[in-house]
Amino acid sequence: MEFWFVIIVSLCISALLGSFFNLFKKNFPPGPPSLPLVGNLMWLRHPISELEFVLRRLKTRYGPLMTVNIGPRKLVFVGSHSLAHRALIQKGAFFADRPSPPATSKILNRTRMVINSAAYGPTWRLLRRNLMHEILHPARVKSYSRSRQWVLSLLIDRLVYASKSESSVTLIDHFQYAMFCLLALMCFGDKLQETQIKELESAQRGFLLSVRRFEVLNLWPRLGKILFRNRWKELLQLRLEQEKVLIPLIRSRIQAKQQRISYHQEDVTAYVDTLVDLQLPEENRKLDEFEMVGLCSEFVNAGTDTTSTALQWIMANLVKYPHIQAKLYHEMVSIVGHPKSSQREMIEEEDAHKMPYLKAVVLEALRRHPPAHFVLPHKVTQDVELDGYLIPRDASVNFMVADMGWDPKVWEDPMEFKPERFLPTSSGEAFDITGSREIKMMPFGAGRRICPGLALALLHLEYFVANLIWKFEWIPVEGDQVDLTEKQEFTTVMKNPLRARISPRI
């Protein structure tokens, strides 16, 4: 017993001394002091998003590039437009990897066979290229127009029904369901029944809402499996329930595809269709069902909460600022006419493309209220210099998205909602949201890991906002203030979900 005690103590002392001396040997970005190896353990109880207040204060002291030790992890935060461009665009290959997933993710995803967390390499390139070329290509996106029309009609019916039974409507639940329906149809095919969509949503929402509960398991997984056995079992059960819902949908779609091939029938391509014949380059095999579950789950989740959150923020500003809503409505009337006199039932996607003020409203909302205040963390593939500091290989790097959109050095009156700042210039040049030329804001990330669904998200936001404003006038609830004040500035989800009264324009 004494022998093992001496060995353990010696190893601990060596690790502590090694970490301590490394602090002086390497020119890491500055940051708050912490105990070597242990780090700031008090931060472990909170996700990064809840530490935004603290990080903002640290930024004023240590600058836009800083190191924060959270437990045993060394995290680098970038809060500058120019540094973000230098890292993600000019040195993009070095910042294109992802940190190893936590222990819970290995159960939730079974493998790293999802685009968001896949290691930078041939498999990631294959999965991303498949998504971009087979599903998100403009021609393919256009083929889903019937699904968008059906979901829009479903959303409008739900809003009208809710407005008749209540004095005001809480919007976020309706927005989330509409976006989920749309992504589910794109993933599994437009023959999906609404009962199947609701069953799928129940499995996916339960999965997402429970994730925070299991974060404690990532601290010391081996010890956690002993101390929190029941929670580990609960996590495994959640994954099994998800597979129980998704695998039959995947099998059904594959079977339907084989029948269409046999009878030479044509159908709109679903995401599942594109996964069946993928050949993994590093393992020379096809995807198994569990890997397809992870990819399908990623597909429907990635575009649901982010788009519905952005949609709620857009509508919140249009409710709070009726003059902006009126200006947007007048633009629509000038292009498609009044809804009373128009022969059409809805604004088409081609019409929305002709509305510069609509695009400006959407971009301003993404700047002012980015759906995520931080991107998914990056991992550097080798030692790299940034602004005179060493970013060591395998370091985890994150980018302060909200700070960049609120920087007064770049944006005049950054906390004001001013869509006019995104109207085309006299030269006709549109704002580059990809950040390839320069980064002024990055709600979709930037560089090699930029969100592949960027164009699709913008299309959905413009299409749904256009029709919601064209069909209804959105009115604040009497005595209920739309809270866009400082209390809300540091959150991606409104603490008090938007409620509004809607008045049909027809």
Side-chain angles (χ1 to χ4, degrees), residues 364-426:
E364 175 67 346
L366 291 171
R367 178 200 68 81
R368 180 64 182 79
H369 310 283
H373 285 200
F374 297 88
V375 297
L376 291 173
H378 293 243
K379 185 180 80 172
V380 291
T381 55
Q382 65 182 62
D383 289 358
V384 60
E385 181 271 335
L386 190 63
D387 200 32
Y389 294 103
L390 171 69
I391 310 296
R393 178 182 179 182
D394 295 335
S396 182
V397 183
N398 214 315
F399 297 82
M400 302 174 70
V401 173
D403 267 34
M404 296 181 198
W406 301 342
D407 189 345
K409 297 178 182 177
V410 177
W411 304 98
E412 183 181 355
D413 299 325
M415 306 316 291
E416 297 297 319
F417 191 80
K418 296 181 178 180
E420 288 74 15
R421 66 176 103 228
F422 286 102
L423 289 175
T425 61
S426 56

Side-chain angles (χ1 to χ4, degrees), residues 425-438:
T425 61
S426 56
S427 63
E429 185 177 5
F431 181 79
D432 177 24
I433 198 171
T434 67
S436 57
R437 296 192 298 271
E438 64 173 331

Side-chain angles (χ1 to χ4, degrees), residues 313-328:
W313 281 116
I314 293 170
M315 298 307 296
N317 280 282
L318 295 178
V319 170
K320 186 174 181 67
Y321 305 113
H323 66 283
I324 297 179
Q325 183 181 164
K327 184 174 181 180
L328 183 56

Side-chain angles (χ1 to χ4, degrees), residues 305-315 365-366 369-371 461 492:
D305 280 354
T306 50
T307 308
S308 58
T309 298
L311 187 54
Q312 180 180 217
W313 281 116
I314 293 170
M315 298 307 296
L366 291 171
H369 310 283
L461 290 172
T492 56

